[in-house]
Amino acid sequence: RRCFTLMQWLEDRIESVYKKDPRYVEKAVTVFQLDLGSPQEIPEPLRGEAWEFVKFPLSALKTELQTLDKNVGGGFGKNLDLAQIRCSDMSEDTEIPGVTVFSRRALPLAAWTNGLEIAGIKADTERACLLLETGVMDRWRYGSYPKTEGAAQEAQEWEAAKVDTRGLHFLAIMETPDDEECAGIWLLQDRAAPSI
C-alpha cells in the first residue's frame, strides 16, 4: 500500500494504454482485491499513553521531516516524496491532519513503530477508535475515544481533512505535548489501489 511509484505507473498505464484499447471495458471486474480483516488489538510495546488529532502546516512538517532525515536527535520516521505522491503543488500553508501520540517512552515506542510498514491511520467511528494500518492488510486498534457525538464529529472532521489533502496525513510520537521535537514522525497517504 506504500508502493506509490508502482501505483502511479499503473494509473498512468491504465490511462495511456489500456483505456485506448478498443477491447477495454470500464466496468470489468478487477483482479486485485484488498481484503482488510477485522482490526486486532495492538501489542503493548506499540501503545502510547495518550493521543490527539492535530493539524500542522505543510511547511512545519517538512522542517520536522528534514530534521529527521538528517538524523538530528536520533529520531525515527519516514518521509514521502511529495512529487511521487502527486502532492508537490500543495501550498506550504496547507493544514495537514495528523495524530500525535504521547508516551514517557517515546523513543522506544518510535523505534518499535518504525519496524512496521505503516500504510496509514483511519478514524473508525463505528468502533470509536483509531486504526493503524500496516503491511499489506494488517489493521490494529491504535487508540480509542469516547462514543460521544462530539468525539465522533471530531473523528469525521479529521477524516474529511484527509480527503482535502489528497489523503496526506501524519503520525507523530512525542514524550509530552510541550516537547519541541518528535521522537518519530511518519508522513502517510491514503490512496486507493489502481483498478487493474
Side-chain angles (χ1 to χ4, degrees):
R1 291 187 285 177
R2 286 184 57 91
C3 301
F4 297 117
T5 301
L6 178 61
M7 290 168 87
Q8 184 171 337
W9 182 84
L10 287 170
E11 289 166 356
D12 292 343
R13 185 119 176 121
I14 289 166
E15 291 299 319
S16 64
V17 177
Y18 300 135
K19 285 189 176 181
K20 292 182 179 178
D21 189 301
R23 297 167 292 174
Y24 179 77
V25 178
E26 183 81 37
K27 296 179 182 177
V29 176
T30 180
V31 294
F32 181 73
Q33 294 289 332
L34 190 60
D35 183 22
L36 299 174
S38 296
Q40 302 172 15
E41 286 299 324
I42 196 148
E44 193 60 36
L46 293 168
R47 190 177 302 277
E49 294 154 16
W51 64 271
E52 65 183 6
F53 289 122
V54 294
K55 287 185 183 179
F56 286 117
L58 182 57
S59 59
L61 275 176
K62 283 182 175 178
T63 301
E64 187 66 34
L65 287 160
Q66 286 170 351
T67 302
L68 180 75
D69 286 344
K70 294 176 186 171
N71 204 17
V72 176
F76 296 92
K78 181 72 176 145
N79 200 348
L80 291 176
D81 179 359
L82 294 178
Q84 183 184 36
I85 61 171
R86 298 181 178 178
C87 292
S88 59
D89 60 337
M90 235 179 240
S91 164
E92 294 288 315
D93 298 332
T94 303
E95 293 280 317
I96 307 298
V99 170
T100 301
V101 176
F102 304 105
S103 174
R104 289 173 293 193
R105 49 184 193 80
L107 202 54
L109 176 59
W112 274 88
T113 303
N114 203 51
L116 300 172
E117 184 66 28
I118 303 173
I121 301 173
K122 295 202 184 303
D124 184 340
T125 53
E126 213 172 275
R127 294 180 178 96
C129 68
L130 291 179
L131 298 179
L132 182 68
E133 297 188 340
T134 63
V136 175
M137 60 181 78
D138 294 325
R139 299 188 321 156
W140 308 91
R141 283 188 204 96
Y142 196 55
S144 59
Y145 52 86
K147 280 193 171 188
T148 64
E149 194 174 305
Q153 182 177 347
E154 183 180 14
Q156 289 169 348
E157 288 170 0
W158 186 79
E159 282 294 331
K162 286 193 327 185
V163 171
D164 293 342
T165 59
R166 296 180 217 147
L168 199 61
H169 61 291
F170 67 92
L171 169 65
I173 297 177
M174 305 172 75
E175 198 164 307
T176 69
D178 299 324
D179 283 354
E180 292 293 320
E181 293 181 359
C182 296
I185 187 166
W186 294 264
L187 192 58
L188 309 165
Q189 185 186 38
D190 285 349
R191 189 168 174 181
S195 181
I196 54 173

